[in-house]
Amino acid sequence: ALEIISFHHHVRIDLTPTKSYSLAAQTIKVLRELDKDVSFAVFYKQGQRKDLDEFFARLSLYTPHVKYSLIDLDRNPAQAKLQNITTYGQTIVEYGGRKDVLSVPTEESVLGLIIKYSHEGKHKIYFTQGHGENSPDKEYSDLDRALRGEGWRVGVIDLSGKEVGV
């Protein structure tokens, strides 16, 4: 009876000591906030299909925007070659016209990429100027480049509150 109820109401209880069949609360929150489809094409080796299918099915429980396909690398070498896939586990991720490749689809790597895509352009950091502070264009150029690479918008603001550049 409990199995029938849980099947019809998508209730899952993970009774394993390590919670190996559960997603982290942060992952669930991010998945529920997705407003665009994110698709995964996983190139797996024989014997991994069941675990990968269970993992992506867990992700799909929290949003209709997760789409995935599992492709046997040994049976589809031509398709893998077209996508420049060279090793087992590599996963092509597409979101909003962007495309990346994960080496292995873990909860952490998938969550990190979804956060990167869905929150892109929403984070902003300012450097102050006006009293001889170091500049993001000169002294902090490596930090500036790294922040921009992670999707942050970097700006400069003088101490009077006036925004100088973004």
Side-chain angles (χ1 to χ4, degrees):
L2 288 174
E3 186 175 343
I4 292 170
I5 292 170
S6 70
F7 179 78
H8 287 291
H9 295 284
H10 300 290
V11 175
R12 294 178 59 129
I13 299 172
D14 184 0
L15 299 175
T16 60
T18 59
K19 301 293 182 198
S20 55
Y21 296 104
S22 297
L23 296 174
Q26 177 67 20
T27 303
I28 293 168
K29 180 180 182 284
V30 169
L31 288 171
R32 286 187 173 149
E33 292 174 354
L34 271 176
D35 59 349
K36 294 180 187 172
D37 287 351
V38 58
S39 64
F40 300 90
V42 185
F43 290 84
Y44 68 93
K45 72 177 176 179
Q46 192 171 9
Q48 292 180 324
R49 182 177 179 87
K50 182 181 177 202
D51 291 337
L52 290 166
D53 191 39
E54 287 176 0
F55 171 67
F56 285 103
R58 262 181 282 157
L59 294 177
S60 300
L61 285 174
Y62 300 100
T63 180
H65 294 293
V66 170
K67 312 292 182 201
Y68 67 97
S69 60
L70 304 175
I71 303 158
D72 187 332
L73 182 61
D74 295 324
R75 291 184 181 187
N76 299 290
Q79 187 175 3
K81 189 173 183 175
L82 284 173
Q83 301 290 340
N84 294 321
I85 300 298
T86 57
T87 61
Y88 297 115
Q90 283 187 302
T91 303
I92 298 170
V93 184
E94 294 184 58
Y95 180 86
R98 295 195 51 199
K99 187 176 185 181
D100 271 309
V101 177
L102 293 174
S103 58
V104 177
T106 63
E107 182 176 348
E108 294 81 14
S109 64
V110 167
L111 178 64
L113 203 53
I114 290 173
I115 289 173
K116 176 183 168 185
Y117 286 156
S118 63
H119 291 90
E120 191 169 64
K122 295 180 182 176
H123 293 69
K124 195 173 199 178
I125 189 166
Y126 289 97
F127 288 85
T128 59
Q129 74 176 21
H131 290 111
E133 292 88 358
N134 290 334
S135 165
D137 298 331
K138 297 175 185 160
E139 295 86 1
Y140 292 131
S141 62
D142 291 339
L143 176 61
D144 178 57
R145 195 172 24 263
L147 287 169
R148 290 178 192 274
E150 293 291 324
W152 287 77
R153 294 187 314 173
V154 178
V156 177
I157 193 166
D158 73 15
L159 295 179
S160 68
K162 178 182 165 197
E163 184 177 333
V164 176
V166 178

